[in-house]
Amino acid sequence: MMFIDFLSSPFLFFQTKMKLIYSIIALLIAFSSISEGFLLWPIPQNIQTGRTEIELDTTFRIIGPDTKYLNHAIKRYTDIITRERWIPVQVPLNSNEGLNLSVSHHTLKTLRIILENEHQELEFGVDESYVLDIPVDKRIATLKSKTIWGALHGLETFSQLIQSRPKRHENRKESINDYSDKEEEEGEEDEEEEKEEEEDEDEDEEDEEENSGFEGLYIPNTPIHIEDSPKYAHRGLMLDTSRNFFTVKDILRTIDAMAFNKMNVFHWHITDSQSFPLKLKNAPELAYHGAYKLQQRRLVYSKKDVKRIVKYAHKRGVRVIPEIDMPAHTGSWASSHKEITTCTGMHYLDKSGDWSERLAAEPGTGQLNPVLNQTYELVDKVITEVASLFPDGWFHGGGDEPVYKCWEQDKHVRNYMKTHNATGVDLLDLFLQKEINIIKKSKKTAILWEDAVTNDNLPISKDVVLQVWTNPVHNAVKKGFKVIASNYNFWYLDCGHGGWGGNDTSYDEQVPSEIPDDVAVALEKNNVADNYRTQNWGGPGGDWCSPFKSWQRVYSYDLAYNLTRDESENIIGGEVALWAEQVDPTNLDSRLWPRASAAAEIMWSGRYDRNQRKRDIGDAMPRIFDWRYRLLKRGINAEALQPLWW
């Protein structure tokens, strides 16, 4: 242990003292923002508060127009409020600071929802704004929205405002009991009963809550006025269900968490080289032969499953956009149609391990053959049927990571290239133009990964939306494309867990490898010797996209970085992505949440507030800390961020 003699170093003492003062000031600022903005997630665009508590009446109810989706939402949030009974985990620095100077003489009896348009469809660009007013001297709060979809977000905010008073003894001291396993077991039983209540029950019936359900619930810091709307219209989460299979139950739970975080697009990456888990009527052989089989069960999604997921998401204001990746990432198609694929069944690297000689970006080779008519006959059948299963107006056609050397393994391709003097880029253009036309034929807006435009400069139509994942956003924006931002350096949540290949011996190092002499000289010359980290000694650990993206890193993503105000208008939103090579139902929630929540706030609230001040991680920390515990309470197994502390 090192001891510092402050008396012998007055400057060091002064410097340390000042740092401590600044830290305390920063902490006080952070906690004052907790009081001002509550613990809401994502933070509203504009919130005004008072200093009075108002109790919810024991007969409290939420009312609004008699529409199917609103009735369902009212029932759902009534249930959340009465079951959650939230006592904040994150508390102000001084819990006796008396922020609420009074308690209203009234109780809040009603939240009235007022809609301008009860029939607006859920689609890209729909108005999701809302205005929420909670008075002190009246018994009715109001939630005004132009559409049902804005009202859903307002209900979420309203639910987060409500707190429960702790149970107290007769002497008014808070009742604290020791933790017991029995209590946890009872909680698990309650959770199972709740999950068994299927949503298919008659949603038009009034939800008869016991009056006692609202007893002890209150809202602090009233009167409250909130005016809120999203920064970006497209606020998505991408889940890969090809590398590992997720049950419908897992997907529905993920959609619940998305709704809690005001996310509105579930990008379902359904198929890839590893498996084809979607049963199709017009091409049943793809899933029959291409889906995983585990313990004598074929891991597939049926038409009924898709319909259930889409319906469930729609009720929560979440659009479901399917992705059928092609022409690369299609090795699973070869299980039933090897004749229209190339390089399938081959190891993705040659014996030299030279990356430039690869046949695929990872184990699992196979690409659709772009020169055969039969290829497009099957592609047409697949896209047309999948488009019919998903009512949303958008369709993701993939298009990422084509490896031209894979195509060159096929004699038909080689002959075509020779006859037409074609390159691999020409073949990609040929395929994508046909695929885009098929998507448009199904009356869908096409989305593609950025590769064809930003890497290969192909003349893709400007009405195709590009999802950017490797290059700076401005590369696509400056070409005139609408963009979904998903840069892997910020929003790939699978990163930082090491490689998953089973034959990689590079991990077997007992001591760090020596630094080459010329490298060591250059490092010393530039005073960066400590930055040299080999794979197993502080380096990437065999993971192509290391390091792990902490919630702070996720929160730091500026989608419009280095763009002018006009250019930034081409960013329609973003998506946080979870590829599933090392994820399955056992760790799905913890890989996603609450890191995806950090992305959700950036997409809803914006990287900058309404005064153009960059949002501060220190301000977000206590809110996301509390939000993580609230997600746990709502059945989402979000990973820990910090010690509980107190």
Side-chain angles (χ1 to χ4, degrees):
M1 182 178 295
M2 180 175 68
F3 295 91
I4 300 175
D5 186 354
F6 287 116
L7 295 177
S8 64
S9 179
F11 176 74
L12 183 59
F13 174 74
F14 175 77
Q15 190 179 43
T16 304
K17 182 178 180 181
M18 292 305 296
K19 285 182 178 179
L20 182 61
I21 292 172
Y22 288 143
S23 297
I24 293 173
I25 291 173
L27 193 60
L28 288 171
I29 291 172
F31 278 105
S32 67
S33 68
I34 297 174
S35 302
E36 179 183 349
F38 297 86
L39 297 167
L40 301 177
W41 198 277
I43 194 74
Q45 302 290 357
N46 184 16
I47 178 170
Q48 299 170 17
T49 63
R51 306 182 73 179
T52 302
E53 294 178 355
I54 188 168
E55 301 272 353
L56 266 65
D57 198 88
T58 56
T59 63
F60 175 82
R61 61 179 184 150
I62 304 172
I63 62 174
D66 185 15
T67 66
K68 179 180 178 181
Y69 295 125
L70 185 59
N71 287 339
H72 182 271
I74 289 173
K75 178 182 184 300
R76 188 168 70 251
Y77 276 99
T78 298
D79 186 64
I80 287 173
I81 291 167
T82 54
R83 286 178 180 269
E84 191 171 53
R85 306 191 66 81
W86 187 244
I87 300 173
V89 176
Q90 177 67 65
V91 296
L93 189 61
N94 180 2
S95 59
N96 297 316
E97 60 188 2
L99 291 173
N100 294 292
L101 300 181
S102 61
V103 177
S104 174
H105 297 296
H106 298 279
T107 57
L108 189 65
K109 299 194 70 171
T110 305
L111 172 65
R112 174 176 290 142
I113 300 174
I114 302 169
L115 300 180
E116 284 189 21
N117 185 346
E118 300 176 12
H119 308 291
Q120 172 63 52
E121 292 294 325
L122 179 62
E123 59 189 1
F124 172 73
V126 68
D127 193 305
E128 298 174 276
S129 64
Y130 67 90
V131 177
L132 178 62
D133 280 294
I134 303 173
V136 170
D137 54 354
K138 297 179 182 178
R139 294 180 177 270
I140 299 177
T142 58
L143 170 58
K144 297 178 181 179
S145 177
K146 293 183 178 179
T147 69
I148 171 64
W149 316 113
L152 295 185
H153 301 314
L155 282 170
E156 174 58 40
T157 298
F158 181 76
S159 75
Q160 292 183 30
L161 290 171
I162 297 172
Q163 298 180 15
S164 176
R165 300 196 187 281
K167 295 179 180 178
R168 297 185 181 277
H169 296 297
E170 291 182 1
N171 61 5
R172 303 303 298 160
K173 286 187 176 181
E174 187 174 341
S175 175
I176 304 292
N177 299 317
D178 290 344
Y179 170 84
S180 71
D181 290 335
K182 182 178 179 181
E183 181 180 346
E184 183 177 280
E185 290 168 3
E186 291 174 353
E188 289 174 353
E189 291 174 4
D190 291 342
E191 186 176 324
E192 286 302 316
E193 290 177 7
E194 180 180 348
K195 289 179 179 178
E196 287 172 5
E197 294 176 3
E198 189 55 53
E199 63 156 1
D200 291 334
E201 63 192 18
D202 186 2
E203 295 156 3
D204 293 327
E205 293 181 4
E206 287 291 327
D207 182 41
E208 296 296 337
E209 283 286 347
E210 294 290 336
N211 288 347
S212 59
F214 297 100
E215 187 172 351
L217 299 181
Y218 72 101
I219 300 175
N221 297 330
T222 64
I224 298 170
H225 176 76
I226 295 175
E227 295 181 14
D228 203 11
S229 60
K231 169 68 175 178
Y232 294 106
H234 185 109
R235 305 180 305 282
L237 181 153
M238 190 226 72
L239 179 64
D240 162 25
T241 62
S242 172
R243 270 69 175 223
N244 273 306
F245 184 81
F246 298 91
T247 67
V248 172
K249 179 180 174 182
D250 297 319
I251 294 174
L252 298 185
R253 187 177 66 256
T254 299
I255 291 170
D256 276 332
M258 290 177 64
F260 298 152
N261 287 275
K262 296 186 172 72
M263 302 174 86
N264 67 352
V265 175
F266 177 59
H267 170 178
W268 188 356
H269 183 92
I270 305 174
T271 66
D272 214 288
S273 278
Q274 285 74 14
S275 77
F276 195 108
L278 181 62
K279 290 177 66 175
L280 297 175
K281 180 180 179 181
N282 295 323
E285 69 280 1
L286 286 169
Y288 186 84
H289 294 287
Y292 285 138
K293 302 171 186 66
L294 179 65
Q295 302 293 322
Q296 297 184 298
R297 297 181 66 185
R298 185 174 286 104
L299 304 182
V300 294
Y301 302 104
S302 66
K303 180 178 179 179
K304 181 179 178 181
D305 293 332
V306 171
K307 185 176 181 180
R308 182 182 176 195
I309 290 168
V310 169
K311 179 181 178 183
Y312 191 91
H314 193 269
K315 290 176 180 176
R316 288 154 180 78
V318 176
R319 300 160 54 209
V320 181
I321 298 176
E323 179 187 353
I324 305 297
D325 204 353
M326 59 179 79
H329 294 281
T330 49
S332 59
W333 296 49
S335 298
S336 57
H337 290 281
K338 191 170 185 178
E339 73 281 359
I340 63 166
T341 62
T342 63
C343 84
T344 51
M346 303 175 68
H347 189 59
Y348 80 112
L349 295 176
D350 68 5
K351 292 181 179 179
S352 72
D354 186 345
W355 184 248
S356 66
E357 297 297 314
R358 70 191 182 281
L359 296 177
E362 66 178 28
T365 53
Q367 297 186 172
L368 294 179
N369 192 319
V371 304
L372 299 178
N373 290 332
Q374 303 97 291
T375 300
Y376 299 105
E377 291 171 3
L378 183 59
V379 167
D380 194 322
K381 284 202 296 186
V382 170
I383 290 178
T384 300
E385 182 170 352
V386 174
S388 71
L389 296 176
F390 293 84
D392 192 81
W394 291 28
F395 187 102
H396 204 306
D400 61 316
E401 297 185 310
V403 179
Y404 305 132
K405 197 171 188 64
C406 175
W407 279 332
E408 293 168 5
Q409 307 306 303
D410 182 82
K411 65 178 182 179
H412 297 290
V413 173
R414 291 195 300 271
N415 290 338
Y416 181 94
M417 294 177 75
K418 183 177 181 180
T419 301
H420 295 82
N421 193 27
T423 65
V425 175
D426 295 328
L427 296 180
L428 180 62
D429 187 38
L430 171 68
F431 185 93
L432 292 180
Q433 296 299 346
K434 289 180 179 289
E435 182 194 9
I436 291 169
N437 287 336
I438 294 170
I439 293 173
K440 289 181 177 179
K441 187 181 69 172
S442 294
K443 302 188 185 309
K444 304 287 186 179
T445 295
I447 312 171
L448 293 178
W449 295 101
E450 65 169 306
D451 307 39
V453 172
T454 56
N455 293 342
D456 294 320
N457 295 310
L458 288 179
I460 301 298
S461 173
K462 296 295 191 296
D463 58 0
V464 173
V465 177
L466 294 185
Q467 185 160 7
V468 172
W469 66 286
T470 56
N471 294 301
V473 166
H474 66 76
N475 288 14
V477 167
K478 290 180 184 297
K479 290 178 180 288
F481 287 90
K482 298 295 184 183
V483 167
I484 298 168
S486 299
N487 191 283
Y488 78 89
N489 288 295
F490 294 89
W491 281 6
Y492 269 31
L493 300 187
D494 53 300
C495 299
H497 293 278
W500 52 276
N503 59 345
D504 186 350
T505 60
S506 65
Y507 296 98
D508 190 0
E509 286 185 326
Q510 305 308 309
V511 295
S513 57
E514 292 187 6
I515 304 175
D517 291 341
D518 56 339
V519 175
V521 170
L523 292 171
E524 290 291 344
K525 182 179 180 180
N526 293 281
N527 296 317
V528 291
D530 287 342
N531 291 348
Y532 187 81
R533 298 285 184 268
T534 56
Q535 172 174 307
N536 300 311
W537 307 91
D543 183 345
W544 77 272
C545 59
S546 283
F548 176 83
K549 316 306 178 197
S550 68
W551 80 265
Q552 296 97 324
R553 180 62 174 169
V554 173
Y555 196 79
S556 298
Y557 188 20
D558 183 353
L559 279 64
Y561 179 74
N562 207 25
L563 295 178
T564 66
R565 183 183 297 272
D566 289 341
E567 288 171 341
S568 66
E569 294 298 318
N570 274 4
I571 301 177
I572 64 171
E575 288 182 6
V576 63
L578 184 62
W579 302 100
E581 286 91 344
Q582 294 172 293
V583 184
D584 69 6
T586 63
N587 62 347
L588 172 63
D589 286 12
S590 60
R591 285 286 171 89
L592 281 175
W593 311 104
R595 291 187 296 154
S597 299
E601 176 153 299
I602 295 303
M603 290 186 283
W604 177 275
S605 309
R607 188 68 180 90
Y608 296 83
D609 66 17
R610 59 194 177 97
N611 296 316
Q612 293 307 303
R613 290 185 301 235
K614 183 183 289 187
R615 296 194 186 276
D616 182 68
I617 291 173
D619 169 69
M621 179 70 244
R623 290 188 295 108
I624 198 170
F625 180 81
D626 193 81
W627 181 235
R628 179 258 173 174
Y629 280 95
R630 202 157 192 166
L631 288 174
L632 291 177
K633 185 82 170 182
R634 295 185 180 190
I636 310 300
N637 292 317
E639 69 179 353
L641 298 177
Q642 283 188 337
L644 182 56
W645 292 111
W646 57 69

